Amino acid sequence: MTAPTTATDVNQPSLEHAPQTGRRLSLPVLMLVIAGALALTSIVRLITGADGITNVSQMSTALQLAVPIGLAGLGGLWAERAGVVNIGLEGMMILGTWFGAWAGFQWGPWTGVLVGLIGGCLGGLLHAVVTITFNVNHIVSGVAINILALGATRYLAPLAFEGHQGGSAKQSPAVESLGHFTVPGLSDWLTDLNAKGWFFVSDIAGLLGGLVTDVSWLTLIAVALIPATWWILWRTPFGLRLRSCGENPVAAESLGVNVYKYKYLAVIISGGLAGLGGVFLSIVANPFYLEGQTSGRGYIGLAAMIFGNWMPGGLAIGAGLFGYTDSLNLRGGSTNVHALLLLGALLLIIGAVWLAIRKKYVQAAVTLVVGALVFAWYAGTNEVPSQVVAATPYVVTLVVLALSAQRLRMPKANGMPYRKGQGK
């Protein structure tokens, strides 16, 4: 990062002095890429007859599954933009699930949302104290919080839930619903348009229909947090100072920024967002707490953040991708995953052509061979084993991270120890 040269610079919300984050696609190019991917998906749908891959129900389920992943990823983004690696997102989500359900079944779902968020903040505060004040390795602290959260909730669950109707040592009583909404008229029109099976148009209708049909109020809040995070971190003096702590804390301190304060705030907010993701799981996705409910979504959220290059928009796309692949388990998984083998083969072939144009012939050849193997798998089978369907979200996580690794650029001081006055 090129540090600002005057204190006035740090106080300005301009991007002129903000650190560059590597190569990023412009918005028009990104929209063209998304449109191209959707068009290719539409072609695959027409060839295979797997209408379920873009119908309204599939997209609605994908959105619901993407929300906790996106909230965990947002939590990771806040912490790492301030220079603190947060591997403890999973544990903070676990705290959110337990505290949300515990308060929710006693005092109502919105109280559960607030208490679950506070539970995640407590996990973030613990991580902040250990890593910022005592300079413990960030990875060690995060892993410890994951273990501690799991152990604490296992201990507390029997004490809090046993003896109540529907409660047990591993499950809370049911929590009332937060409520859902559907945009009247628009939802029905998009559903009818999606059912016509037209090329591209019906697929867009399915995507949009999933965003306006049977949507939870907490989903609406989670979606709004994406642009809110971008605006706060990239368009306000507060966000510029926070990001400077993750790029060059010594330079930020020399210009009057209280680095400890901003790091603490970022990690506590990070925990709150992860806790909110846990609340979504125990109040919206399921109306009760259940041991093991997070199922590694904190780690997938971290992967979505990395895939998005530490940017809110990219994170949202990554969370949507992982949520969509996860939704295949619930709705016609075998048929849909088999159809997506063809999509994967086509994408690999296109990638091989692109690499060849850029004169990366070895990579192009390897990509082409893999694409041919995937196509052979598709052509030689009529369905995929259920084990493959269950593993699809995790395989996609690994593949996406491997393919995106070349363009990633994390904050320069991310994970590095910092002591006040160390630059003097």
Side-chain angles (χ1 to χ4, degrees):
M1 164 183 162
T2 302
T5 55
T6 67
T8 303
D9 290 334
V10 176
N11 293 322
Q12 296 299 320
S14 170
L15 288 181
E16 177 184 353
H17 304 288
Q20 298 301 311
T21 54
R23 295 177 295 171
R24 297 202 302 269
L25 295 176
S26 64
L27 182 60
V29 174
L30 180 61
M31 296 303 294
L32 285 174
V33 170
I34 294 174
L38 192 58
L40 196 61
T41 303
S42 184
I43 292 172
V44 169
R45 175 180 61 81
L46 293 172
I47 292 173
T48 62
D51 294 333
I53 61 177
T54 58
N55 66 22
V56 172
S57 297
Q58 183 78 55
M59 295 303 179
S60 181
T61 303
L63 176 63
Q64 179 171 296
L65 293 170
V67 166
I69 295 172
L71 286 170
L74 269 184
L77 187 148
W78 273 84
E80 299 205 8
R81 277 295 177 183
V84 179
V85 175
N86 192 355
I87 299 294
L89 292 169
E90 179 78 4
M92 296 168 197
M93 286 189 79
I94 291 172
L95 292 174
T97 60
W98 192 90
F99 279 101
W102 170 72
F105 89 87
Q106 298 182 87
W107 302 300
W110 286 109
T111 302
V113 171
L114 178 61
V115 174
L117 188 149
I118 293 172
C121 286
L122 291 176
L125 177 61
L126 177 60
H127 188 51
V129 170
V130 171
T131 58
I132 300 169
T133 300
F134 294 102
N135 261 337
V136 173
N137 181 276
H138 298 191
I139 305 299
V140 172
S141 173
V143 172
I145 286 174
N146 291 338
I147 297 171
L148 179 63
L150 184 61
T153 53
R154 281 183 176 175
Y155 172 77
L156 292 172
L159 299 177
F161 302 142
E162 284 186 339
H164 294 276
Q165 184 177 1
S168 69
K170 295 186 177 182
Q171 179 178 316
S172 75
V175 181
E176 292 181 16
S177 173
L178 287 171
H180 295 74
F181 72 92
T182 296
V183 179
L186 180 59
S187 175
D188 293 335
W189 178 69
L190 289 171
T191 301
D192 292 340
L193 189 58
N194 175 249
K196 294 183 182 299
W198 294 340
F199 169 71
F200 194 65
V201 174
S202 292
D203 301 286
I204 292 179
L207 177 62
L208 297 177
L211 302 178
V212 297
T213 304
D214 201 25
V215 179
S216 165
W217 292 106
L218 192 54
T219 299
L220 190 64
I221 294 172
V223 171
L225 285 171
I226 299 290
T229 292
W230 173 83
W231 184 79
I232 292 170
L233 292 183
W234 275 268
R235 285 293 184 267
T236 66
F238 170 84
L240 182 57
R241 296 188 191 105
L242 187 147
R243 288 186 294 121
S244 72
C245 296
E247 295 289 340
N248 193 331
V250 174
E253 182 190 355
S254 71
L255 296 168
V257 175
N258 188 333
V259 176
Y260 277 10
K261 181 183 79 173
Y262 281 92
K263 283 180 177 286
Y264 261 89
L265 285 173
V267 180
I268 291 171
I269 292 171
S270 171
L273 289 168
L276 195 60
V279 169
F280 189 93
L281 291 173
S282 62
I283 294 182
V284 178
N286 295 297
F288 49 82
Y289 162 81
L290 185 65
E291 186 178 302
Q293 201 164 25
T294 56
S295 301
R297 286 180 176 86
Y299 299 110
I300 298 179
L302 195 64
M305 179 205 67
I306 296 171
F307 165 78
N309 208 8
W310 289 264
M311 295 292 293
L315 182 157
I317 294 173
L321 175 63
F322 300 139
Y324 176 76
T325 55
D326 201 12
S327 71
L328 297 175
N329 289 321
L330 303 179
R331 296 185 176 274
S334 180
T335 301
N336 291 339
V337 171
H338 184 259
L340 292 179
L341 288 176
L342 177 59
L343 177 62
L346 293 174
L347 288 173
L348 286 167
I349 292 170
I350 292 172
V353 172
W354 173 248
L355 289 170
I357 292 173
R358 299 180 65 187
K359 298 183 180 180
K360 297 182 178 181
Y361 299 116
V362 175
Q363 296 95 320
V366 172
T367 304
L368 185 62
V369 169
V370 174
L373 291 174
V374 173
F375 180 79
W377 184 8
Y378 165 77
T381 59
N382 293 321
E383 60 180 20
V384 295
S386 59
Q387 295 88 343
V388 173
V389 178
T392 297
Y394 308 100
V395 172
V396 169
T397 301
L398 294 174
V399 171
V400 166
L401 287 179
L403 294 178
S404 62
Q406 298 298 320
R407 65 177 182 83
L408 298 180
R409 192 278 195 193
M410 73 171 65
K412 288 184 179 179
N414 194 23
M416 296 176 61
Y418 165 78
R419 283 290 187 191
K420 186 176 182 179
Q422 70 181 39
K424 295 181 180 179

